[in-house]
Amino acid sequence: MEKNQKLNTGKCLMALLFLLGLLVGCVQGETFDGTFVNTAGSEFSIADDTLVVEQGEGNQFLIHRRTGFSLLDDQGRPGKKQYEKEEWKAVYDRGTEVMTESRNGIMITFNADRSILTAGKRKYKRI
C-alpha cells in the first residue's frame, strides 16, 4: 500500500470515528431517563416528590411518581408521613420539545442539559 493510500485511509478512519462520536453524543443527549426530586411545603403540609422517567417504545415514556408528605398541625409540626404513588404515561413531541402526560395533560419540559424537569409549575432536579 502506498504512503498516500495509508494516509487517506487513516484520515477516513479518523473522520468516521469523529462522526460516530457525534452520533453517540446526540443519542445520549436525547435521553430523558433518570430520577428527579422536588421538595415543597405550605402552611398545611411538606412533601418530597420523586419522578423516575423511563423510555418505552419510540417517543413513549413511563413516569413513576412517588410522594411522601406530612400534614402540619396547628403548631406547624409535621404529622405521620404518608405516601402516594402514581404511574404516568407520556408522549414526547420532538417538534415542541414537550412531553405530555396522557391522563391529565401535564406538560413536561427539560432544560438544555436535562438536569431540570418541569412538570406543570413544579421543578424537579436530576439526582
Side-chain angles (χ1 to χ4, degrees), residues 96-122:
T96 62
E97 297 185 346
V98 174
M99 194 179 288
T100 304
E101 187 271 335
S102 302
R103 186 178 27 192
N104 299 312
I106 298 168
M107 306 296 270
I108 301 166
T109 59
F110 295 83
N111 67 340
D113 69 357
R114 311 269 195 265
S115 63
I116 302 291
L117 175 156
T118 303
K121 294 181 180 181
R122 295 186 182 150

Side-chain angles (χ1 to χ4, degrees), residues 5-76:
Q5 284 180 316
K6 287 182 182 179
L7 188 58
N8 287 338
T9 302
K11 285 182 181 179
C12 287
L13 184 58
M14 292 297 284
L16 183 61
L17 289 173
F18 175 75
L19 291 174
L20 182 61
L22 285 177
L23 179 62
V24 168
C26 287
V27 169
Q28 288 176 343
E30 286 291 315
T31 186
F32 298 104
D33 290 3
T35 302
F36 300 82
V37 295
N38 167 285
T39 300
S42 72
E43 60 184 293
F44 304 108
S45 67
I46 52 174
D48 297 308
D49 212 1
T50 301
L51 300 179
V52 178
V53 179
E54 294 179 6
Q55 181 154 11
E57 293 186 31
N59 63 345
Q60 306 284 320
F61 289 83
L62 182 61
I63 302 171
H64 310 277
R65 181 179 185 199
R66 306 286 182 260
T67 305
F69 65 95
S70 297
L71 300 176
L72 303 178
D73 66 15
D74 293 338
Q75 285 73 42

